[in-house]
Amino acid sequence: MPIDETREFLPVRIAVLTVSDTRGPAEDKSGDTLVDLLTAAGHILADRAIERDDLEAIVERLAHWIADPDVDVVITTGGTGVTGRDVTPEAIEAVAEKMIPGFGEAFRWLSYAKIGTSTIQSRACACVTGGTYVFALPGSTGAVKDGWDMILKDQLDSRFRPCNFVELMPRLSER
């Protein structure tokens, strides 16, 4: 799909949340990768944090960023699997006004080419709430790269045609 170079690029302010019981700042390769990708694309890192796989803590962090007018988008990495500690999708559902099912569907469809049926173990998901987009990616650097390069890079580019998430931002809080 094309980028319309006649349109203005509008940088988006993105907060990055890594969800992990085992990673600290030194081991957060997926978070580092995501920050590198979004800043290379011209976007602004609004904030960054690591939370344990704890539903209440994740919900609290998401709610804080959703209420912050300086955050347009939240992207999480990790906690999207099917084990007992994986609760990122539940946290997103807890704060969601509207789910965006096509994001998870597209992510799994695209990742099928690389990892085959193992893609069904991913519960990548997205929502919009409080005028903020929230996207949940799996915790591997490969999944972060795929989610960014094959979906988010274009959908968060105001020049992407035929449509993109950025052009909808002024209307997300309409009633």
Side-chain angles (χ1 to χ4, degrees):
M1 292 290 148
I3 296 292
D4 182 348
E5 297 292 346
T6 66
R7 294 175 61 112
E8 178 184 7
F9 175 79
L10 302 172
V12 175
R13 298 166 298 195
I14 302 172
V16 172
L17 176 62
T18 298
V19 177
S20 176
D21 284 339
T22 59
R23 294 181 194 166
E27 300 84 22
D28 186 16
K29 302 301 180 217
S30 294
D32 291 342
T33 297
L34 190 51
V35 168
D36 290 346
L37 291 167
L38 73 89
T39 56
H43 298 294
I44 300 160
L45 178 63
D47 203 356
R48 182 176 177 182
I50 298 174
E51 292 289 350
R52 294 182 55 78
D53 290 281
D54 177 278
L55 182 62
E56 291 178 13
I58 299 166
V59 167
E60 185 177 320
R61 175 74 63 180
L62 293 174
H64 171 75
W65 282 338
I66 291 162
D68 186 339
D70 292 327
V71 176
D72 301 312
V73 174
V74 176
I75 304 175
T76 72
T77 175
T80 62
V82 297
T83 70
R85 298 283 300 154
D86 292 322
V87 294
T88 303
E90 288 78 12
I92 288 176
E93 289 172 9
V95 300
E97 290 173 2
K98 292 183 180 185
M99 295 302 292
I100 307 172
F103 175 78
E105 294 162 359
F107 178 83
R108 284 179 287 280
W109 178 73
L110 291 165
S111 69
Y112 181 82
K114 293 188 175 186
I115 64 170
T117 58
S118 294
T119 193
I120 66 171
Q121 294 181 29
S122 166
R123 296 187 304 141
C125 61
C127 76
V128 62
T129 186
T132 303
Y133 290 110
V134 182
F135 302 97
L137 294 169
S140 73
T141 55
V144 166
K145 288 177 187 175
D146 291 347
W148 180 266
D149 290 340
M150 296 191 291
I151 302 172
L152 294 173
K153 178 180 71 173
D154 289 334
Q155 281 300 300
L156 296 178
D157 190 325
S158 55
R159 303 165 301 167
F160 184 76
R161 307 305 316 137
C163 57
N164 59 75
F165 282 133
V166 178
E167 64 193 0
L168 299 176
M169 289 173 127
R171 299 177 43 215
L172 292 179
S173 297
E174 289 179 334
R175 298 283 174 226

